[in-house]
Amino acid sequence: MTKKQALLKAAEDKVRSGGYSNFSFRELAKVVGIKSASVHYHFPTKADLGAELARLYTDNFMLALGDPVELIKAHKSPVQVYASQFKRALLEDKKMCLCGLLGAETDCLPDKVKQETKRFFRLNLEWLHVAHQLNDPSDAEQRAANTLSLLEGAIMVSKALGDNRFFDQATSGLR
């Protein structure tokens, strides 16, 4: 892992457990074992780091989902595959969705970070629209919005309650 990758990983851990304001370059430098000035070599500003972090998170999330058409060909439910990404974040990572947290902080984010956060939600809504349309074309856009909102909310409430069973209860009707 390069120093830049290590910085991004450390920042992701901090943001996913406490939001955008939950890290400083000094803290990241300490975690990675470099000088604070070296963080600026990779990321001139915190906004640059935050924007790249959100961009990479989005790219990795979308890559993990795959193509809804291919999922159906493999006899998998795209919406269930999508929901499993959130459940994995909750159960394995024990953290919130990075862009879900950033989305809640939109009013306080630098424009670069705000734009990458919007990109996450736009791409997810487009993916879910296709997934729902393949299953049943009626109201696919509405169902995409409902699915994304339900999963972001279910992970947040599960974390707040300290009860992962809530996630399953909230998402049990998802198809």
Side-chain angles (χ1 to χ4, degrees), residues 56-106:
L56 287 172
Y57 185 85
T58 300
D59 292 348
N60 290 333
F61 191 91
M62 299 308 295
L63 185 63
L65 291 174
D67 179 355
V69 173
E70 294 302 317
L71 291 170
I72 287 177
K73 286 180 185 176
H75 306 289
K76 295 180 181 177
S77 163
V79 175
Q80 289 302 318
V81 168
Y82 186 83
S84 72
Q85 291 298 311
F86 282 83
K87 190 168 184 176
R88 185 190 58 73
L90 179 65
L91 298 179
E92 293 176 25
D93 298 347
K94 299 183 182 354
K95 291 188 169 65
M96 295 287 298
C97 166
L98 178 112
C99 289
L101 273 170
L102 293 176
E105 298 178 313
T106 296

Side-chain angles (χ1 to χ4, degrees), residues 14-54:
K14 296 294 276 177
V15 172
R16 288 181 71 194
S17 58
Y20 183 74
S21 62
N22 194 39
F23 75 92
S24 68
F25 276 16
R26 183 173 294 136
E27 290 172 315
L28 296 180
K30 186 176 180 182
V31 168
V32 174
I34 59 176
K35 294 181 181 178
S36 184
S38 297
V39 178
H40 288 280
Y41 170 78
H42 297 288
F43 304 100
T45 67
K46 186 174 181 177
D48 293 322
L49 190 157
E52 184 158 346
L53 181 61

